[in-house]
Amino acid sequence: RLVSCLLAESRSLGITVRHEVDVASVRWEGGEAVLTCRPCGEEACQLEEAVEGRAAAAAPPASGGEYELRAPFLVASDGVRRTVAAAVEAADRERRWALPGRRFKVTRFEDTSVRVYKTVPFRPPEDWRGDINYSARTAKANFDALPAPGGDYCGVLLIEPEDELTQGLPDVPSARRYFDDLLPMFSPHISDESLQAVIDKPTSRLPQFRYAGPRLHHCNTALLGDAVHSVKPYFGLGVNAAFEDVAALGQALDDSPDLPNALRAFSAKRAGEARVLVQLSRSFDLGGWRSFAFFIGPLILDGIFHGVAPSLFAPNTLAMLQKPHLSFARVRWRKRLDRTIQLAVLAAAATAAVTSAEASDPAADPAADPAGCSKSPAARAEAEERGSTPSRWTLLRGLDSPISPAPRARRGEDLFRARSKVCGGDGNGGALLGVGEASPAGGRLAAARPRAPARSEQCALERPACRGLGGRRGGGAPPRGRRRRR
């Protein structure tokens, strides 16, 4: 119906429409586009069936060979064949001087989720609505059915290249069993004639993700539609973006009477949109774990955060693409902002959870060292309440290695004071072990008033690391006037 309307409008404007003509090449001479055309058969052009009531086709030259057409203004909408786009790319390669990133180029992406399709016509029952789309998702295939004129539906079966239907079904009964197993809700409404047509028709491959840029014009030629952005037909983005290209080109021509300025304005408005459209669409079709990371996962996050704070977080990407006032670039910018905030919130929540777990775990108490000594009075008191005592003597001076647990006792000393970075002391560098704890020399510790260790006293440990450590006999002060021998 759309093609019929367009052809009727073209005929009313005096435009000549040529069917079954292939553009073999394009070149630009003297401000005009020169097209080399040649007739093509059904196999080469793969034309659709004739539309009833369309304009009469202008016959090619009687010779049946190639011929040229010259045009002062050319609009290239030749789809994925990209004859004109390839000619523009070749012409730009021949330019001697061009700023980096300004040469026209068609960027192609690898297809990581290869699918082929077949069309399956059917007629739904009377009690089904005839103004909506129907779809089904299975492990082997996806099926989408769109309404057609006369109450019929045209279904598109998306399958893998290795599927049984792709390899070929021998007859109608085999096809019937295939659809009964795959699509039991649709199979009763598919006639045997339609099944035979499905068997006879070869599979078609979905277009690859490609876009052209960084400009969409060359000399007097504008490129639009699938010629500059091709995506897989999952969400109707391709045809809708093509309509937007046409509207943008028409607006640019209306705003500027000068053709070069109008084409530059059109490129500035739509080139970025073509690139973002393809990049967004490809993120929906990566396949495998990347499909969850870049498509399913973000949809889940958007649903949660938008439900909790709809004024702060936007809906998911698919919902935003349905809003005509938002450009593709605007949608991507907003989703990148949402994703940054979402990741920041999740990181903060994870950090808080880990911190809370560590705080509630006695074994992970940061106030205690490996020797069991607490670094703060509060932590030391908490350790005493738990009844924790050092499992062995570890007296350090800026080191992490244990000191020998068998020091030599001298003069019956019962109290050991150690200057250490591990245990807290009296504020003067001394450390006092608790009353009643076992000493290295044996026996029990006596009560003593905290005091910094005297340098003149003998070190009670044999390791060199204990130099500068001291103790006091019996808690008494050394007599004045007497110097103790080292």
Side-chain angles (χ1 to χ4, degrees), residues 107 245 395:
T107 301
D245 292 341
L395 302 179

Side-chain angles (χ1 to χ4, degrees), residues 40-221:
C40 63
E42 183 178 356
E43 294 182 358
C45 294
Q46 297 182 354
L47 296 175
E48 297 289 340
E49 293 183 359
V51 180
E52 183 179 357
R54 69 183 183 182
S63 62
E66 293 185 352
Y67 61 98
E68 291 185 351
L69 289 177
R70 291 180 174 268
F73 176 41
L74 174 64
V75 178
S77 56
D78 51 347
V80 294
R81 294 174 63 87
R82 284 190 172 87
T83 303
V84 180
V88 175
E89 189 174 17
D92 260 26
R93 283 198 298 264
E94 296 176 358
R95 295 169 56 188
R96 296 187 59 185
W97 305 104
L99 294 175
R102 297 305 301 170
R103 293 185 186 275
F104 184 89
K105 179 183 178 182
V106 178
T107 301
R108 300 167 177 83
F109 293 96
E110 179 186 0
D111 195 350
T112 57
S113 181
V114 180
R115 294 290 187 273
V116 297
Y117 69 93
K118 281 193 174 187
T119 56
V120 183
F122 70 95
R123 189 174 187 86
E126 296 296 334
D127 56 346
W128 286 24
R129 289 184 57 179
D131 58 345
I132 60 175
N133 298 350
Y134 294 97
S135 63
R137 300 291 184 268
T138 69
K140 297 175 58 178
N142 294 344
F143 185 74
D144 293 277
L146 289 76
D152 292 332
Y153 265 71
C154 179
V156 178
L157 184 63
L158 195 64
I159 51 182
E160 295 182 354
E162 298 80 12
D163 189 83
E164 181 183 1
L165 181 61
T166 306
Q167 302 300 325
L169 296 173
D171 48 32
V172 172
S174 300
R176 179 66 65 186
R177 288 191 297 270
Y178 175 86
F179 278 95
D180 286 343
D181 180 65
L182 184 67
L183 301 170
M185 68 292 293
F186 293 101
S187 180
H189 312 299
I190 305 175
S191 64
D192 290 345
E193 293 77 9
S194 298
L195 290 178
Q196 186 63 51
V198 170
I199 295 174
D200 296 338
K201 185 177 182 179
T203 56
S204 301
R205 184 168 180 170
L206 294 175
Q208 289 183 303
F209 293 103
R210 292 178 289 188
Y211 70 88
R215 69 183 192 279
L216 305 183
H217 74 283
H218 180 75
C219 297
N220 64 338
T221 302

Side-chain angles (χ1 to χ4, degrees), residues 337-466:
L337 176 63
D338 284 355
R339 207 71 66 231
T340 301
I341 300 176
Q342 290 168 3
L343 293 179
V345 172
L346 294 177
T351 303
V354 172
T355 304
S356 176
E358 291 179 350
S360 61
D361 185 9
D365 186 4
D369 65 2
C373 300
S374 299
K375 295 183 179 180
S376 64
R380 194 160 51 244
E382 182 180 355
E384 292 175 359
E385 291 179 1
R386 292 198 303 262
S388 60
T389 57
S391 59
R392 60 175 179 172
W393 285 77
T394 308
L395 302 179
L396 308 176
R397 189 178 185 180
L399 302 176
D400 291 334
S401 60
I403 298 175
S404 171
R408 182 177 55 192
R410 298 176 64 89
R411 303 177 183 177
E413 294 169 334
D414 292 327
L415 182 63
F416 284 78
R417 303 172 63 84
R419 182 172 303 175
S420 171
K421 293 184 179 180
V422 178
C423 299
D426 57 0
N428 298 320
L432 180 64
L433 297 176
V435 177
E437 295 178 354
S439 68
R444 313 299 294 180
L445 295 179
R449 184 177 57 191
R451 184 181 67 84
R455 285 183 173 275
S456 60
E457 296 187 7
Q458 284 285 349
C459 176
L461 303 178
E462 294 180 341
R463 291 291 182 91
C466 69

